Amino acid sequence: MRWKEQLLTLTPYQPGKSIESVKKQYNLEHIVKLASNENPFGCSKQALAALQSNPAGLAIYPDGYATNLRETLSAFLQVEEEELIFGNGSDNLIQIISRALLHPDANTIMAAPTFSQYKHNAVIEGAICKEVPLVNGDHDLDAMLAAIDEKTNIIWLCSPNNPTGTYIPENKLVAFLEKVPADILVVLDEAYYEYVIAEDYYNSIDLTRGFANLIVLRTFSKIYGLAALRIGYGVANRSIIKALEPAREPFNVNSLGQLAASAAIEDKEFINNCKEKNRQGLEQFYQFCTKNGLEYYPSQTNFILIDCKMDGNKVFQGLMEKGYIVRSGNALGFPSAVRITVGSLEQNEGVLRALGEFLAQN
């Protein structure tokens, strides 16, 4: 087979250990998964109720235009329907954007470390990746601007950033966008947008009005608790959406996901409740780190990256043997850290107790 050479340099995305596999491997009855930044409180009851109503049945293809979801989200965000694009999770949108703009004669700019799929898809398309190191966990926007040349087609901004949980303040983001050439697409990935509480965070939807080369990506997989249904969306100037649509495969958003997402948008009480519980959970982690002299990045997300000052794989393994699945920083560009999803009050207490015991023993 004459595979693309770049595929031979890549490995598939490595998801975290599943609950069932850890139960079996370590003969444990109770496992808490805090590795994939899922919502520990599930999803809205309204979304669950909507799933029971599926009028079309499973034998019918999904609505390729996502009409109901498009109308609902358009009204919720106060954008035009033609300013929206939907994907099988925001990962799918990253793939679509890369397919549309990247090729062997182009390059793309991103932070490092950041969400792995920006680079992964760029490599598949044969583009050159310009990775700009984070500074104290933050995007180095000046260095990213300096990396731009006549072959730059996409700049990726992850705010809040995965895996650090840090964000780009409004004044810095606007100043950055003002300097980016108009023919370069800036992708602002806001997977954790709904968790943000920072007062100097920006209104990204408004920014798409002022910058015609900006697209904002969001997802229903995080605070909305619909990760299993894979629904992501993008907001941008209609000219960007029109250009991207031919690169989107037909029927890429499943019917059940469309139903659940449309209902989930309406349940503001559920979202606000999850946001508040997440803030309380983060405080548990902050207090633990302060007490134990551990460094961390203050987070605007539902996870925290903690520097344990030892091999992250060992910490990951030690916690897994105690029934807690977290994410080793080795795979995220922080080899002495672990990334832990903020769970319920009880889950947080449990994993922090296990982490304290492990660190004391090692």
Side-chain angles (χ1 to χ4, degrees), residues 41-53 225-226 229 259-261 263-264:
F41 308 108
C43 68
S44 164
K45 292 181 180 179
Q46 293 176 212
L48 291 174
L51 290 174
Q52 305 299 319
S53 69
L226 299 177
L229 296 176
L259 281 171

Side-chain angles (χ1 to χ4, degrees), residues 284-336:
Q284 291 177 271
F285 284 93
Y286 295 162
Q287 292 173 18
F288 174 87
C289 290
T290 299
K291 179 181 177 181
N292 290 274
L294 299 176
E295 295 179 356
Y296 64 93
Y297 292 110
S299 178
Q300 294 292 325
T301 68
N302 69 332
F303 62 80
I304 183 170
L305 185 71
I306 302 175
D307 187 353
C308 296
K309 302 177 182 177
M310 62 184 301
D311 186 350
N313 284 343
K314 291 183 178 179
V315 182
F316 161 77
Q317 183 66 32
L319 290 178
M320 187 162 57
E321 292 175 5
K322 294 177 181 290
Y324 292 92
I325 308 173
V326 300
R327 190 76 161 164
S328 169
N330 272 273
L332 305 173
F334 292 89
S336 64

Side-chain angles (χ1 to χ4, degrees), residues 134 237 324:
L134 298 173
N237 180 287
Y324 292 92

Side-chain angles (χ1 to χ4, degrees), residues 48-98:
L48 291 174
L51 290 174
Q52 305 299 319
S53 69
N54 185 18
L58 299 181
I60 305 300
Y61 281 112
D63 174 1
Y65 189 67
T67 305
N68 185 54
L69 177 57
R70 186 179 296 272
E71 291 174 352
T72 303
L73 193 57
S74 170
F76 180 74
L77 297 176
Q78 296 185 318
V79 300
E80 298 299 321
E81 292 182 18
E82 295 79 11
E83 294 174 320
L84 292 167
I85 186 171
F86 294 93
N88 181 40
S90 54
D91 297 33
N92 182 214
L93 294 170
I94 294 168
Q95 184 182 51
I96 291 169
I97 292 167
S98 299

Side-chain angles (χ1 to χ4, degrees), residues 145 148-149 155 176-186 213:
L145 286 171
I148 294 173
D149 63 27
I155 300 174
F176 175 82
L177 293 172
E178 288 174 343
K179 296 175 183 176
V180 175
D183 60 350
I184 297 175
L185 182 67
V186 178
N213 61 333

Side-chain angles (χ1 to χ4, degrees), residues 119-288:
K119 181 177 181 179
H120 187 92
N121 282 282
V123 171
I124 290 175
E125 300 303 332
I128 294 172
C129 296
K130 295 186 176 183
E131 297 181 271
V132 179
L134 298 173
V135 176
N136 297 322
D138 296 324
H139 285 65
D140 187 344
L141 297 179
D142 289 337
M144 295 180 84
L145 286 171
I148 294 173
D149 63 27
E150 70 280 358
K151 294 187 176 183
T152 302
N153 281 5
I154 304 175
I155 300 174
W156 305 91
L157 302 177
C158 189
S159 178
N161 187 45
N162 181 5
T164 57
T166 55
Y167 72 104
I168 304 171
E170 180 177 19
N171 62 332
K172 292 184 178 182
L173 177 60
V174 172
F176 175 82
L177 293 172
E178 288 174 343
K179 296 175 183 176
V180 175
D183 60 350
I184 297 175
L185 182 67
V186 178
V187 183
L188 183 57
D189 189 346
E190 290 190 306
Y192 300 92
Y193 159 76
E194 292 85 1
Y195 286 108
V196 175
I197 65 166
E199 293 183 359
D200 58 348
Y201 198 72
Y202 43 82
N203 185 321
S204 59
I205 305 301
D206 284 351
L207 290 177
T208 63
R209 301 282 189 267
F211 299 95
N213 61 333
L214 175 67
I215 184 169
V216 174
L217 305 186
R218 292 181 182 172
T219 182
F220 284 90
S221 294
K222 302 306 179 185
I223 204 168
Y224 285 101
L226 299 177
L229 296 176
R230 311 302 295 125
I231 305 287
Y233 65 92
V235 184
N237 180 287
R238 65 180 63 199
S239 64
I240 291 178
I241 302 300
K242 183 178 180 180
L244 287 175
E245 278 290 351
R248 178 182 66 83
E249 63 270 29
F251 312 120
N252 66 324
V253 181
N254 70 83
S255 299
L256 295 178
Q258 292 183 38
L259 281 171
S262 297
I265 293 171
E266 308 290 349
D267 196 346
K268 296 179 182 178
E269 182 179 354
F270 174 78
I271 298 303
N272 291 334
N273 186 42
C274 290
K275 185 174 183 177
E276 176 58 29
K277 288 181 178 178
N278 183 70
R279 277 295 119 193
Q280 295 171 2
L282 278 170
E283 287 300 326
Q284 291 177 271
F285 284 93
Y286 295 162
Q287 292 173 18
F288 174 87

